[in-house]
Amino acid sequence: MPELHTIVCVKVVPKPEEVRVDPETWRLVREGARSEVNPPDMNAMEIALRLKDRHGGRVTILSMGPAFFEPDLRTSLAMGADHICLLSDAAFAGADTLATTYTLAQAARKLERFDLVICGEESSDGATGQVPSGLAEWLDLPQLTLVTEVTLDRDGATVRGRRGIPGGFEILEVPMPAVLSVRTACNEPRFMDYRIKPWSEEPARLTTWTAADMGCEPAFIGQKGSPTIVAGLRQAESRARRRERLEGSPKQAAELLLERLKPYL
Amino acid sequence: MTASAPALAPGYSIENENRTLWVYLEQRAGELEPVSLEILGKARELADQVGWPLVGLLCGSDVAHMAPQAGAAGADRVVVADDPLLRHFTVDAYAKVAYQAIAEARPSVFLAGATPNGRDLAGRLAVRLRTGLNADCTALSLDPATGLLTSEVTGFGGGVLALLEIPRCRPQMATVRPGVFPPAVLDKQRKADEIRLAVDLDPVTLWTRVVERQVGAQVDLTQAPILVCGGRGIDGDFASLRALAELFGGEVGATRPPVDQGFIERERQVGQTGVVCRPRVALALGISGAFHFVVGIEHAEIVVAVNNDPDAPIFDVADYGIVGDAAKVIPELVRLLRAEREAVHA
Ligand SMILES: Cc1cc2nc3c(=O)[nH]c(=O)nc-3n(C[C@H](O)[C@H](O)[C@H](O)COP(=O)(O)OP(=O)(O)OC[C@H]3O[C@@H](n4cnc5c(N)ncnc54)[C@H](O)[C@@H]3O)c2cc1C
Ligand SMILES: Nc1ncnc2c1ncn2[C@@H]1O[C@H](COP(=O)(O)O)[C@@H](O)[C@H]1O
């Protein structure tokens, strides 16, 4: 049986609390915002690394984004992955879900034979959880989304995932290769291993591919390949509330509260 | 894996769309999901504004009996795909059927609930149809002149709102976050035309095998009239909260920390990565008021906060605030409500 090859899709995002909307231009101000690995992708990494601990094989980190993603990706690599593939090209800018999934799919095709592609549940700065299904569709592969536990039957070449659904759970099985997404916070991602940190910093650990390297159709990438446009941005405003303080002892405050809630109960 | 490069076949576009609104009707155990009724309500409003027909797509096994309810909720037409192979939702089978229906009818707009299955389905369909997908929308509008759908989505943990449009590709797809629109008002006089879709599924071509599925009594916080939420500040005492919720006739919710600590089930997490609710009253007990949580109770008519820190941000988004120890205030509320109940029964 060939060794297990798992691709993990990792995105680097600005820390959400450090992003603002410029009230004049309505543009996102990312300047000064520090970046981090999209937290849900750490849960995806952990699932991939547990499979590697158990079955051996290798883990490739796949990411589409600018060169400044590199330091954060190398930190993920030092969790115990084997290689980084960074898709970086000015032509990728402005990609929505359709263009992003097309580009990631082109890369997966160019990477060597793989068994699994594992994504996080959603990226904090972008679309919401639509990349895994879209990627599976471009690759014409089965998908298992929002899984919390994954087991492999290497002989049968199938993967099973446990998935929470409203009021319970289901266990689904699909043939490999398959695309998975992992439920956020379903596991405790391991820390990077400081012993392999120097190794992870070596230039050879990272491959950069451009659109041309992957034979991307120009009409299908970046802004050009994106059906969606952002027509406007604004800062979310919270709805005005009464903000009345109820004073007194706990008993008095509780009485005041129930009086006020009467019409709503 | 040696898949060949994808065919870059275009979907349909603004040039050959049919000006209709389609809604995916998600169902479970013989009933329409609340989110489907919420979307129907909103879509009816949009359809009336632009004068387009509203069509529901209902897939499953023995599901036709739900079509009248969709009609009462506003659908003019219900397309029913009924097949034993659709008994359980699997994305491969449902996507095949939905794609077939959409490719034939070429609707201008296709909406689905942003539930786990709704997202799976929409995500695959959008790529198969080579169109855009606005995920997890919190507001929708439709321009009568251009037929353009504008979807509002939150980003960056809820702090930023983006307005998204799909100018040329069709259908204009969006998934709608459960709980943000009020459910459709049912009008039993309204009847929908039923159209049967010829389903042609070959089990051999389907990938997904359901090994096990367990669905018990399900909590649905989106439908609770009163929501009693506990945070880190209640120190794991969800027993008191359950007593309070029971007296109020409501449900218990929680912030992420007590869920992560295992004090309460994850399906009761409220907020950005949990459930978005629209109760009449939301109580936030021992909760600081992080944006991630607050988005989950934003649509409450009344918000109550109890926190021992007078500067906690939750007070800025509350109608009524009590500065104090939740462990002291909760028992008082329980006592008063019990006394009231006994007075009624006496
Ligand atoms: C990507 C992402 C998604 C997230 N999604 C969610 C989500 O969906 N839902 C969610 O809730 N969180 C979510 N979070 C976490 C969120 O940011 C906050 O950390 C969380 O909401 C805080 O929960 P809390 O208010 O219970 O705890 P804390 O912030 O620790 O607040 C506890 C509060 O209790 C008060 N307190 C302490 N003791 C008492 C007492 N005896 N009586 C009264 N008050 C007391 C304190 O003054 C404090 O204000 C998310 C975070 C991230 C990064
Ligand atoms: N630019 C990207 N590069 C690599 N992976 C991505 C990228 N965008 C999204 N993903 C993956 O897709 C998941 C879901 O993202 P999204 O659909 O954008 O919410 C993320 O958790 C990542 O695993």
Side-chain angles (χ1 to χ4, degrees):
Chain A
M1 206 179 319
E3 66 166 4
L4 184 71
H5 181 201
T6 305
I7 298 172
V8 183
C9 293
V10 174
K11 191 175 183 185
V12 175
V13 295
K15 290 190 183 246
E17 61 276 19
E18 299 185 5
V19 178
R20 295 277 165 277
V21 176
D22 183 322
E24 299 275 299
T25 61
W26 277 17
R27 286 192 183 283
L28 288 184
V29 184
R30 290 171 185 242
E31 274 88 70
R34 283 167 299 169
S35 66
E36 63 181 2
V37 170
N38 181 41
D41 300 352
M42 303 284 279
N43 299 117
M45 279 292 294
E46 181 59 31
I47 293 269
L49 294 172
R50 285 181 192 179
L51 290 174
K52 180 180 168 181
D53 291 343
R54 190 173 167 133
H55 300 278
R58 63 210 163 82
V59 172
T60 302
I61 293 174
L62 175 61
S63 188
M64 180 185 88
F68 75 76
F69 276 22
E70 214 183 295
D72 286 305
L73 295 176
R74 287 189 189 269
T75 309
S76 301
L77 182 66
M79 287 168 76
D82 298 86
H83 195 72
I84 300 167
C85 179
L86 177 62
L87 315 180
S88 221
D89 193 316
F92 295 149
D96 71 357
T97 313
L98 187 67
T100 299
T101 50
Y102 168 78
T103 309
L104 292 172
Q106 286 294 100
R109 266 192 209 96
K110 187 176 158 77
L111 280 168
E112 278 162 69
R113 185 204 61 82
F114 61 85
D115 303 284
L116 294 170
V117 181
I118 309 186
C119 297
E121 178 176 338
E122 60 181 37
S123 57
S124 60
D125 69 335
T128 39
Q130 299 300 166
V131 163
S133 315
L135 185 51
E137 178 67 22
W138 280 114
L139 293 170
D140 197 20
L141 290 179
Q143 70 187 69
L144 290 180
T145 57
L146 302 172
V147 295
T148 53
E149 283 161 41
V150 176
T151 53
L152 302 185
D153 174 355
R154 294 277 280 140
D155 295 323
T158 57
V159 52
R160 268 186 193 197
R162 185 191 165 98
R163 178 179 197 245
I165 50 174
F169 70 91
E170 60 188 8
I171 294 173
L172 302 177
E173 185 180 84
V174 295
M176 290 197 279
V179 178
L180 272 49
S181 84
V182 170
R183 184 87 171 104
T184 300
C186 73
N187 56 32
E188 197 65 53
R190 62 194 68 188
F191 288 110
M192 73 165 152
D193 184 342
Y194 283 92
R195 290 166 306 180
I196 57 173
K197 186 76 180 126
W199 168 88
S200 74
E201 306 284 2
E202 290 167 12
R205 305 281 84 85
L206 183 141
T207 308
T208 304
W209 281 341
T210 62
D213 292 335
M214 297 185 284
C216 289
E217 186 68 39
F220 269 65
I221 57 172
Q223 196 154 11
K224 238 196 206 162
S226 298
T228 312
I229 60 160
V230 180
L233 281 175
R234 54 193 171 85
Q235 191 106 33
E237 46 190 289
S238 52
R239 152 175 178 179
R241 295 282 179 187
R242 291 193 185 80
R243 301 171 62 173
E244 183 186 340
R245 294 279 168 116
L246 308 179
E247 313 282 348
S249 68
K251 179 165 179 275
Q252 287 164 327
E255 280 166 355
L256 290 174
L257 177 62
L258 290 183
E259 255 167 49
R260 284 172 178 62
L261 292 186
K262 255 241 161 87
Y264 301 94
L265 298 180
Chain B
M1 146 95 203
T2 48
S4 52
L8 300 176
Y12 60 102
S13 77
I14 191 161
E15 265 107 49
N16 54 351
E17 66 178 336
N18 286 315
R19 291 203 155 186
T20 49
L21 269 156
W22 275 46
V23 174
Y24 170 63
L25 302 174
E26 192 166 345
Q27 49 81 23
R28 178 162 28 114
E31 284 190 58
L32 292 179
E33 286 282 352
V35 68
S36 297
L37 296 173
E38 292 162 14
I39 301 175
L40 279 175
K42 182 66 192 180
R44 183 68 257 165
E45 189 188 310
L46 297 176
D48 287 340
Q49 282 164 14
V50 296
W52 299 358
L54 173 57
V55 181
L57 175 63
L58 181 59
C59 309
S61 176
D62 291 328
V63 288
H65 65 277
M66 286 173 261
Q69 196 189 4
D76 298 308
R77 227 178 293 151
V78 178
V79 175
V80 182
D82 205 312
D83 192 286
L85 288 173
L86 297 172
R87 188 161 78 87
H88 290 309
F89 176 90
T90 62
V91 72
D92 19 349
Y94 273 58
K96 275 203 177 102
V97 168
Y99 176 78
Q100 181 200 334
I102 295 170
E104 249 166 54
R106 299 195 310 276
S108 191
V109 173
F110 185 85
L111 306 173
T115 58
N117 291 343
R119 287 178 191 220
D120 273 16
L121 177 67
R124 284 200 93 113
L125 283 176
V127 169
R128 205 168 293 183
L129 291 155
R130 306 284 190 264
T131 190
L133 170 57
N134 302 325
D136 211 22
C137 300
T138 48
L140 295 171
S141 63
L142 192 55
D143 187 310
T146 60
L148 264 191
L149 181 78
T150 304
S151 314
E152 183 184 283
V153 299
T154 63
F156 294 101
V160 177
L161 297 178
L163 301 174
L164 304 178
E165 288 172 3
I166 302 166
R168 292 201 48 80
C169 295
R170 292 294 177 271
Q172 305 174 78
M173 289 187 64
T175 59
V176 176
R177 184 183 289 188
V180 299
F181 295 121
V185 180
L186 299 184
D187 172 0
K188 292 272 183 311
Q189 306 302 314
R190 284 193 65 101
K191 302 261 181 282
D193 295 331
E194 258 178 69
I195 298 164
R196 285 288 171 140
L197 190 75
V199 179
D200 180 22
L201 287 171
D202 178 356
V204 179
T205 63
L206 301 179
W207 291 309
T208 312
R209 190 165 80 83
V210 179
V211 179
E212 191 181 342
R213 168 172 285 165
Q214 283 190 21
V215 188
Q218 166 227 352
V219 285
D220 187 356
L221 296 189
T222 66
Q223 306 299 308
I226 313 284
L227 193 64
V228 182
C229 300
R232 206 198 301 264
I234 65 153
D235 226 0
D237 181 18
F238 279 92
S240 301
L241 261 69
R242 273 192 287 272
L244 189 56
E246 196 258 319
L247 286 160
F248 272 130
E251 287 284 351
V252 174
T255 59
R256 187 149 121 184
V259 170
D260 284 347
Q261 287 165 32
F263 287 123
I264 186 154
E265 317 93 86
R266 187 160 298 280
E267 55 195 326
R268 292 192 186 267
Q269 180 175 316
V270 173
Q272 174 84 6
T273 42
V275 190
V276 175
C277 311
R278 54 167 61 245
R280 300 206 74 188
V281 181
L283 291 95
L285 310 170
I287 291 174
S288 60
F291 205 100
H292 295 114
F293 168 76
V294 172
V295 294
I297 56 162
E298 226 167 30
H299 301 283
E301 254 177 83
I302 295 290
V303 173
V304 176
V306 179
N307 196 304
N308 61 6
D309 171 7
D311 298 321
I314 191 73
F315 288 121
D316 295 333
V317 293
D319 294 286
Y320 304 115
I322 298 176
V323 178
D325 184 353
K328 298 219 169 74
V329 177
I330 297 169
E332 289 299 337
L333 287 169
V334 168
R335 205 179 50 74
L336 288 166
L337 287 166
R338 281 215 174 110
E340 217 169 85
R341 183 191 269 189
E342 274 154 26
V344 171
H345 289 295

